[in-house]
Amino acid sequence: SIEMLIPERLRERHPAYVKSFRTEHRARAMGLGRNLFGLRKDGSEFPVELTVTRVPLEDHPFFTAYLRDMTEARRLEERISFQSTHDELTGLLNRAEFERRVKTLLDEYLFKEEHAIVVLDIDQFNVVNDIGGHGAGDMLLHQMGQLIHSKTRAGDILARLGGDEFGLLLEHCSLKKAESVGKELLKAIQENRFEWEGSRF
């Protein structure tokens, strides 16, 4: 029954969707997009695709419903979406997504608001790679990303632009404030010490 398959919060809407298929003569997926969920035996919900098929009978229409578990498909979709917008090493936004966010901001607020971009790169990063290898360089970039992120405000947009370069987009921020943020970040980075297999940088 519907109580066994559909979460309680969606049951009220379900009959209307079934009714809309009474005149159809072929299988169709329910038009609920990403908002359709099934109900597991333990009461937990999971994303599903519901396909309703009309079976022609002489006396009255008969329908069958097919539920497809979309958990893995949704997880893969989200992973692909994340990888297309984020840097694999640091987990921060990548350059393409950062540039897209900047463009969106300019399109929406051009000449209306003041914003700032802070660009940071790690001086002599090649020294870490030469001494510790690429594993050390990767770990340093990861730690730097975390350090910079810990010093940003909620809503600030941080990205790894490539190599040893990071970008920080400060929305609704004056140049004076951006300079202050930049100095604070430089101080935090300069005070940081990176250790790798007995070497300290």
Side-chain angles (χ1 to χ4, degrees):
S1 74
I2 190 172
E3 286 76 16
M4 296 175 62
L5 298 174
I6 306 297
E8 186 175 357
R9 61 189 178 83
L10 298 175
R11 289 174 196 164
E12 200 173 284
R13 292 157 45 190
H14 183 76
Y17 283 103
V18 174
K19 186 178 180 180
S20 70
F21 288 93
R22 287 189 180 277
T23 58
E24 294 291 335
H25 297 274
R26 57 187 173 83
R28 279 191 53 185
M30 281 295 191
L32 295 178
R34 302 177 68 87
N35 298 319
L36 186 59
F37 293 87
L39 191 64
R40 291 193 180 93
K41 195 173 183 179
D42 62 5
S44 62
E45 297 182 13
F46 63 103
V48 297
E49 177 185 79
L50 174 59
T51 302
V52 177
T53 305
R54 186 180 191 275
V55 180
L57 294 177
E58 292 182 4
D59 298 335
H60 58 275
F62 180 76
F63 294 87
T64 62
Y66 171 72
L67 279 177
R68 179 186 175 201
D69 186 344
M70 299 295 290
T71 303
E72 287 303 317
R74 191 70 52 80
R75 186 176 292 132
L76 179 60
E77 180 183 308
E78 290 172 352
R79 181 179 176 185
I80 292 173
S81 176
F82 182 87
Q83 290 177 337
S84 69
T85 57
H86 289 72
D87 172 58
E88 185 177 357
L89 177 62
T90 62
L92 302 175
L93 294 180
N94 58 27
R95 185 185 193 99
E97 180 62 14
F98 185 77
E99 291 178 349
R100 190 191 70 79
R101 300 279 185 100
V102 171
K103 183 179 184 305
T104 298
L105 192 66
L106 292 177
D107 288 345
E108 292 179 357
Y109 297 105
L110 189 60
F111 305 126
K112 296 178 182 179
E113 302 283 349
E114 190 173 11
H115 313 287
I117 292 178
V118 177
V119 178
L120 305 101
D121 66 86
I122 304 173
D123 289 341
Q124 299 182 23
F125 176 71
N126 60 313
V127 173
V128 178
N129 274 333
D130 291 343
I131 295 176
H134 289 290
D138 288 350
M139 181 59 70
L140 175 59
L141 290 172
H142 179 73
Q143 287 188 9
M144 284 297 100
Q146 289 185 320
L147 175 62
I148 298 169
H149 185 265
S150 71
K151 301 297 181 182
T152 59
R153 310 170 302 174
D156 290 343
I157 298 171
L158 175 63
R160 180 187 174 202
L161 303 181
D164 62 352
E165 192 174 57
F166 296 87
L168 181 61
L169 174 59
L170 307 171
E171 295 186 30
H172 313 291
C173 180
S174 66
L175 180 59
K176 184 176 181 180
K177 175 62 179 175
E179 289 176 342
S180 175
V181 169
K183 288 177 181 178
E184 289 178 12
L185 286 173
L186 283 177
K187 185 174 183 293
I189 293 170
Q190 288 168 350
E191 291 175 350
N192 185 69
R193 293 295 177 266
F194 174 66
E195 295 189 12
W196 180 265
E197 296 180 348
S199 297
R200 198 161 185 243
F201 299 90

